[in-house]
Amino acid sequence: MLSSALLLAVLVAATPADNAAFVPPAQTEAEVVQQITVAAKAFVATLPPADLASASFAYAGPEQRYWHWIPAPLLADTALGKNYAPYGRIGLPLEKMGTDSVVKLHQLFQVTLSANGYRKLEQVLRREGGDEPRMGFMGINRTPTGTPPGGPGWYFFSLFGSVGEGHWGFRFEGHHISLNIAIDGEHVLTSPLAIGHNPSPIVPEASTLGTRLFNALSPEQQKAAHVIVDGSDKGIPGDMDRTPGKPALAGATLSALSPEALALYDGLTEDLVGSFPEPIAKPLRAKVHAQAAEARLAWYGDVDDFHPHYYRLQGPSFLMQVRHQGLERGHAHVHTSWRTLDDGSVANGATTP
């Protein structure tokens, strides 16, 4: 087991092993599948049998259907009917992995995510730790012995099914990350995705572009989109909806957007769509762009980048949610999530693989 200091160093550096070959960016979805499969096999091969057993679950089972970036005990959630002690999550925690396992896990992330997506994951892990005053970087200072416990070591890997055999997938989840990946033949399913930013010295684009998109709408659209105007209203959603299936539509239909508003819409959705390799992101980006006129924006609370609010942008095939928790120590605390509603992802509510 790694010490806390060494674990954080390995987590944030993610230095490839000396003999690790450079993996060029995939050009097709089939290449993405191959790269993920090879990297996942290399990672699980580093795990002792008992640890691999702790991380392994059935594909399409209840563990894969249940996802959340907040530990279950903090939610008083008994959905899985299991004893969550001591971590509040299923799977194998990073703090129990050796150096080689952590390096191989990062190599899996690097082929699963785009460069931008991997950067976001790395920042989340950094911010779980302590402040880095010399770098101007603030963390939430969580440790395994703190209240609530946490820190960069309390992120968990879960394997669903067997790597490379039929339908299989994995999840990497902890406070402020839920990355859900499934391999369905030659296709990569990447939903749901949740990324939290806390503390963020720069307000994330998912917040700033959302505010700008709202302000670019017509007065009539803004009125229809602003479901709750009063920022102190108790009806403002406290966080993101994880209910499987397609939620009921709310807010204003975007219809014919101005060129400025369409660019904001594209930039906003790209903030999460762009977290994945280009062969995955490109068709999804085009599909989401084509749905701009049908998409609905529902806003709850203040329309700015500083006060708590929630909004959802929903199209026929996707749901993007943003919950701005406000400023903490002068830094933004923002939760974001992305779900594709039509790709058959188990964690989105699909009943069969």
Side-chain angles (χ1 to χ4, degrees), residues 188-251:
V188 183
L189 309 182
T190 59
S191 171
L193 171 69
I195 301 175
H197 305 263
N198 180 40
S200 180
I202 301 174
V203 180
E205 287 188 335
S207 176
T208 59
L209 292 179
T211 302
R212 290 173 61 192
L213 175 60
F214 181 96
N215 288 328
L217 299 180
S218 69
E220 293 77 14
Q221 287 176 310
Q222 291 182 9
K223 184 177 180 180
H226 215 166
V227 179
I228 293 179
V229 177
D230 182 1
S232 63
D233 194 304
K234 300 300 183 183
I236 298 175
D239 218 320
M240 292 168 284
D241 182 6
R242 297 180 300 117
T243 306
K246 294 185 178 182
L249 292 169

Side-chain angles (χ1 to χ4, degrees), residues 212-297:
R212 290 173 61 192
L213 175 60
F214 181 96
N215 288 328
L217 299 180
S218 69
E220 293 77 14
Q221 287 176 310
Q222 291 182 9
K223 184 177 180 180
H226 215 166
V227 179
I228 293 179
V229 177
D230 182 1
S232 63
D233 194 304
K234 300 300 183 183
I236 298 175
D239 218 320
M240 292 168 284
D241 182 6
R242 297 180 300 117
T243 306
K246 294 185 178 182
L249 292 169
T253 303
L254 298 185
S255 62
L257 293 173
S258 67
E260 176 195 5
L262 182 59
L264 292 168
Y265 168 91
D266 286 339
L268 176 58
T269 53
E270 178 68 16
D271 187 60
L272 291 173
V273 170
S275 297
F276 298 102
E278 190 62 13
I280 307 300
K282 184 176 180 179
L284 180 56
R285 182 185 299 123
K287 188 173 186 178
V288 170
H289 175 83
Q291 294 177 8
E294 302 173 80
R296 302 275 289 266
L297 178 67

